[in-house]
């Protein structure tokens, strides 16, 4: 009836520390779906791949030659505030990726102890 999860979030979300650890071990993909200019202005989460939401459909489609995301690994997605990452999580789920977690915004990442690096 009611969902208390953020849009695009289908399971209990791992902590930022857990995500950072899994990404460092290459057991999870961390995906930033903001635009390049935003990443240049405010940095990017350490270990994240930048694929703007505007091109995610091509870069995540396993049938497309420019697909940049591996299947078989969980994906954690963030943007500036959580809206675009929710849309991205829904799109990735429809493309057969999973589990997919919406982490919210870059501020949520930093507030949870995640490291932010220059892009």
């Amino acid at each position: 009836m009611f969902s208390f999860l953020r849009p695009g979030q289908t399971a209990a979300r791992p902590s930022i520390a857990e995500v950072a650890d899994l990404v460092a071990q290459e057991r999870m993909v961390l995906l930033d779906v903001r635009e390049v200019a935003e990443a240049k202005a405010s940095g990017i989460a350490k270990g994240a791949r930048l694929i703007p939401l505007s091109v995610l459909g091509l870069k995540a489609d396993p049938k497309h030659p420019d697909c940049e995301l591996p299947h078989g690994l969980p994906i954690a997605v963030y943007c500036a505030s959580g809206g675009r990452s929710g849309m991205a999580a829904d799109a990735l789920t429809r493309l057969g990726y999973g589990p997919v977690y919406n982490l919210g915004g870059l501020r949520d990442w930093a507030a949870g102890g995640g490291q932010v690096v220059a892009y």
Side-chain angles (χ1 to χ4, degrees), residues 37-79:
E38 291 174 277
K40 286 182 178 180
S42 59
I44 188 169
K46 184 177 181 181
R49 298 179 187 197
L50 179 65
I51 302 177
L53 182 61
S54 59
V55 296
L56 184 65
L58 295 176
K59 300 290 185 179
D61 184 349
K63 297 174 189 164
H64 196 278
D66 291 333
C67 183
E68 295 181 8
L69 290 180
H71 264 83
L73 291 176
I75 300 175
V77 187
Y78 73 91
C79 62

Side-chain angles (χ1 to χ4, degrees), residues 81-105:
S81 64
R84 285 176 286 179
S85 56
M87 290 186 281
D90 289 341
L92 291 169
T93 300
R94 285 192 303 275
L95 286 168
Y97 292 92
V100 180
Y101 304 98
N102 179 2
L103 299 181

